[in-house]
Amino acid sequence: RQALMALVPEHAAEWLAIARISTAGLREASGALVGVTHGDFHPGQILLDGARVSIIDFDRTHMGDQLRDVGEMCARLLYLERSGALTNGESLASAFTARYFAERRTPILSPRLRFWTLARLFALALLPYRTLLPERRRLTEKILRLCSEIAH
């Protein structure tokens, strides 16, 4: 968080407010869906071959809140849309979330999912700087605006 605020200091107060909102939402949310989690679940971890789907890269697998993986996937899809790599990231995230909860036969736990999506988006906001994208400041600001939209 400190590195992010150093990159876009004019938005520091807003980002701290978003962090407080998301953390408060987590405290208000019902219990975690504890179980085995992938730990780094995003579109790059899924291999498609016709109708065959495989998930790879289990080196971060652990017991934890399974909504972290769902939030990670949603954050990555939203990031890819904002970066221009996808045109339908938001609709894919919604479809993925709906299907996940339908398969689990549990209600969508919005505050927890919102927390994990925000947490992962915050982490992704630094990615344009790590990859030295030419439009890194603009993309980081787009991601942070998206965090603000989700938080409110």
Side-chain angles (χ1 to χ4, degrees):
R1 200 167 45 186
Q2 290 174 342
L4 185 56
M5 288 188 280
L7 293 172
V8 283
E10 65 274 19
H11 300 293
E14 184 179 353
W15 313 142
L16 286 173
I18 293 167
R20 281 193 294 275
I21 289 168
S22 67
T23 303
L26 181 63
R27 280 193 295 270
E28 295 168 9
S30 57
L33 296 173
V34 177
V36 176
T37 66
H38 185 278
D40 189 28
F41 193 56
H42 58 81
Q45 307 291 24
I46 300 172
L47 302 178
L48 303 173
D49 182 18
R52 186 173 168 196
V53 177
S54 300
I55 299 172
I56 62 168
D57 200 7
F58 291 93
D59 61 315
R60 295 185 186 174
T61 301
H62 63 279
M63 292 296 288
D65 187 345
Q66 293 175 332
L67 287 185
R68 183 190 188 283
D69 281 346
V70 179
E72 175 77 38
M73 180 62 77
C74 291
R76 291 291 183 123
L77 292 168
L78 294 169
Y79 175 86
L80 289 170
E81 182 175 323
R82 294 314 187 277
S83 71
L86 279 178
T87 58
N88 60 343
E90 191 168 343
S91 63
L92 287 172
S94 293
F96 172 76
T97 302
R99 183 64 184 219
Y100 178 86
F101 285 104
E103 290 294 321
R104 287 190 60 96
R105 294 188 175 99
T106 59
I108 295 176
L109 303 171
S110 297
R112 288 195 83 75
L113 180 56
R114 183 172 73 172
F115 167 80
W116 283 116
T117 302
L118 279 169
R120 301 316 304 149
L121 276 170
F122 263 121
L124 289 171
L126 289 171
L127 189 59
Y129 285 89
R130 289 184 180 146
T131 56
L132 298 177
L133 291 175
E135 297 290 321
R136 58 188 167 268
R137 183 175 185 87
R138 185 181 61 76
L139 181 53
T140 293
E141 288 178 342
K142 284 170 91 172
I143 299 303
L144 293 173
R145 277 194 302 277
L146 176 59
C147 288
S148 182
E149 292 169 21
I150 292 171
H152 297 97

